[in-house]
Every structure is written in structure tokens, then in C-alpha cells.
Amino acid sequence: GDFRYYIFSQSNFGLGTGIVPWGAEYKNFDYKSIEQPMDYNYFKLHETISYNIFPSFFIGAGIHIDSYTRISDKLLDVANEKYTYHYEYSKKYGFSDKNYVVNGLSLNFIYDTRDNLINTNNGLYLNLNYRFNPNLFRNQQLSSSLLIESRYFIPISKTNKQHVFGFWAYGQFLVSGKLPYLNLPAIGWDQNSRSGKGYIQGLFRGTNLMFFEGEYRFPITKNQMISGTVFTNVTTASNLDNNFKLFESIQPAIGVGLRVLLDKNTLTNFIVNFGLGRESQTFYFNDGEGF
């Protein structure tokens, strides 16, 4: 399950990874030139139930409620025709620019062979989630979306399990219909808010989004109390408004992390990660691994 209520402030920067240019245009680029601050309240209730039908294979269903209210575009000035990304998108596709909902049901398939769900040293995790959102309310439109996620862990030492290569692939795709702006896939909005390290949450948002990350986890002390990681990732997002496609622009990041062991039985770590993107630097603090 995933249950949240936010009274929130977060800037928008437009759709697609093409918002950050490459080449000569990047020399004079400033994130503030495309930043548009917003306030809104967000209620999220995602609950799924899965049943083990074969070894390591699960099938299930879920209910999903996303409600966005009291949306306030700080730079919006309709009287003087100063519009924002959110306002223009909402008006183009028939959504209110003040509040909307996305409620639906999902069908889920999971394959999981991980040896430890908190701190994996070996195994494969696959998750496929198809979500259907019917046109039930005035502020909701018919839509469907697909989430595909894979995590793969390879131990590289027979004597020390802390030497691990980890790979994470994550994709969210609009299958049919239209989603409101704030419900479009964006980095940092996965269930654990871990995607897109190196860039602030919500910087890259799009009609479809894919994210790839690889990291090497290694011990620092012999008693396994302190360990570290180095990682790299790339993000690509599309924007159907201007026919901007996936992989037309890819935004990379690199980073390092430090882990302190909190519980030897579950191998739970306290984690500090530092990510470095293109003119972007971010810190992350959490327990459990990055993915």
C-alpha cells in the first residue's frame, strides 16, 4: 500500500527531458528560466493485493485514488495572458486547472526471487501494473496506463555478499486517454521516491517516462557496519504535445553513497546518497537500499 496526504509546494519545469538542452544552447541555460512554482494538496491511496500462484510468481489487483486540490500556479496571470505549463496543458485537454482526480483499478503481475527485500544481494524482481481509470467524475477523464519495473542483483564475490552489482529499470507509459498534468509520470514520484537521483523531484515529467540506474555496492569496514556505493543513471521522458519522443533526449547523472548498518538481522542500512546531474546536485537520506 501507499497512503499519503501532502500539503505541498513543488515547481514545474515543463514536459519531456528536452527541457534541458544539449550543445551550444546549454552554455547559457539556467533552470530558473523554466521554473514555475506551484502549491497544491495531494491525496494518494494505492492498495494492491497479490496472491502467490506459482513459486516466485504473484498475481493481484488494486485500487488507486489520486486527488489534486487547491492547485495554485504562482506565475499564472490569465488577465495579462501569462500562462503556465500546467494551465496550458489543462485547458488543452479539458482538465480544471484548480483540481482533478484520477481514480481506477489495476491488474498486477509480480515475479520475485530476491533473497532479501530490504537489502538484496542476489535475485530478480519484475513488476507489471496495468491501471484503468474510468470516466466516473466530472474532474476525471477516461485513461489507462502501464507501469513496468525490473530490478536485478548480481553478487560478484563468493566470500563477501556486500559486493553486488544492482540494476534498476523503471517505465511508466500512457496507454490510452489523457492524464492530468500532475499525474503524468515524473522522477522521484515512484512509490519509494528514489528515481532520478541527481535531480530534484518532479524536474523531468512527461507523457511517458523511462529511468535506468546501475550501481556497485561494496563494503568499507570488515564488520559490515559501513559500506558504500557508486551509481549512474539516465532518464528520458516524452512530450506528445510537441511530438517529442522517448530517447530523443537523455539526461544522465552519477553519484556516491554511504551506508551505516542499523540492524544485522534484516540488513537494514541508514543511507546517505549524493547525486550529481547536469548543473544539479542533490542529497538523499533514507533507510533501506536505493532500490
Side-chain angles (χ1 to χ4, degrees):
D2 188 356
F3 175 73
R4 316 182 192 192
Y5 182 71
Y6 286 144
I7 300 175
F8 207 50
S9 294
Q10 185 174 84
S11 294
N12 282 311
F13 297 84
L15 299 180
T17 37
I19 60 172
V20 181
W22 290 88
E25 296 180 12
Y26 184 65
K27 293 180 180 179
N28 298 318
F29 176 76
D30 185 352
Y31 283 98
K32 293 182 179 179
S33 66
I34 60 172
E35 182 177 9
Q36 296 180 352
M38 291 183 66
D39 292 343
Y40 59 91
N41 294 353
Y42 175 36
F43 171 77
K44 178 179 183 179
L45 175 62
H46 290 193
E47 290 289 343
T48 61
I49 300 175
S50 297
Y51 297 91
N52 185 203
I53 59 174
F54 299 114
S56 304
F57 185 79
F58 302 79
I59 187 170
I63 182 171
H64 303 263
I65 299 173
D66 296 282
S67 174
Y68 304 84
T69 58
R70 304 186 68 179
I71 301 172
S72 174
D73 276 311
K74 297 301 183 180
L75 299 184
L76 178 63
D77 186 355
V78 177
N80 293 306
E81 298 184 346
K82 295 181 179 180
Y83 304 133
T84 61
Y85 313 124
H86 176 263
Y87 180 85
E88 290 183 326
Y89 179 95
S90 299
K91 293 306 176 184
K92 180 176 181 178
Y93 293 113
F95 294 102
S96 167
D97 65 306
K98 301 300 181 184
N99 58 83
Y100 38 72
V101 295
V102 185
N103 300 328
L105 303 173
S106 70
L107 182 64
N108 309 279
F109 300 92
I110 296 174
Y111 179 76
D112 194 351
T113 64
R114 292 175 295 175
D115 58 353
N116 185 318
L117 302 188
I118 298 175
N119 188 343
T120 308
N121 295 308
N122 188 16
L124 173 66
Y125 170 82
L126 297 172
N127 178 27
L128 187 150
N129 175 290
Y130 175 78
R131 176 175 170 179
F132 174 72
N133 308 301
N135 187 1
L136 294 176
F137 305 100
R138 182 171 59 89
N139 291 325
Q140 175 169 325
Q141 294 188 27
L142 180 70
S143 65
S144 63
S145 60
L146 180 66
L147 183 152
I148 302 175
E149 181 177 11
S150 173
R151 306 177 191 180
Y152 185 43
F153 303 89
I154 305 173
I156 58 175
S157 172
K158 294 182 179 180
T159 58
N160 193 325
K161 291 184 177 180
Q162 285 187 300
H163 287 282
V164 177
F165 279 126
F167 301 94
W168 180 21
Y170 179 92
Q172 260 188 288
F173 311 95
L174 180 64
V175 177
S176 64
K178 296 297 178 185
L179 292 172
Y181 191 98
L182 292 175
N183 197 250
L184 293 171
I187 59 168
W189 281 104
D190 56 287
Q191 184 171 355
N192 294 317
S193 302
R194 308 282 171 84
S195 61
K197 290 193 290 290
Y199 299 97
I200 63 170
Q201 185 187 45
L203 174 63
F204 298 125
R205 183 187 304 270
T207 310
N208 301 307
L209 180 142
M210 295 189 71
F211 169 81
F212 304 91
E213 182 167 313
E215 69 176 28
Y216 167 50
R217 303 171 184 174
F218 55 89
I220 296 178
T221 61
K222 291 184 178 180
N223 63 0
Q224 300 186 354
M225 282 295 296
I226 300 176
S227 57
T229 183
V230 293
F231 63 85
T232 183
N233 65 59
V234 293
T235 301
T236 179
S238 65
N239 179 8
L240 294 185
D241 274 357
N242 58 11
N243 202 31
F244 188 88
K245 297 179 174 61
L246 284 175
F247 300 104
E248 194 168 334
S249 176
I250 296 175
Q251 303 296 343
I254 58 174
V256 297
L258 188 68
R259 281 91 169 101
V260 179
L261 187 64
L262 298 178
D263 189 321
K264 289 186 177 181
N265 294 322
T266 62
L267 298 180
T268 301
N269 288 321
F270 172 74
I271 294 179
V272 179
N273 280 329
F274 171 72
L276 181 65
R278 300 179 67 212
E279 297 296 325
S280 176
Q281 302 177 22
T282 52
F283 281 96
Y284 304 83
F285 304 90
N286 55 271
D287 62 343
E289 279 299 332
F291 60 89

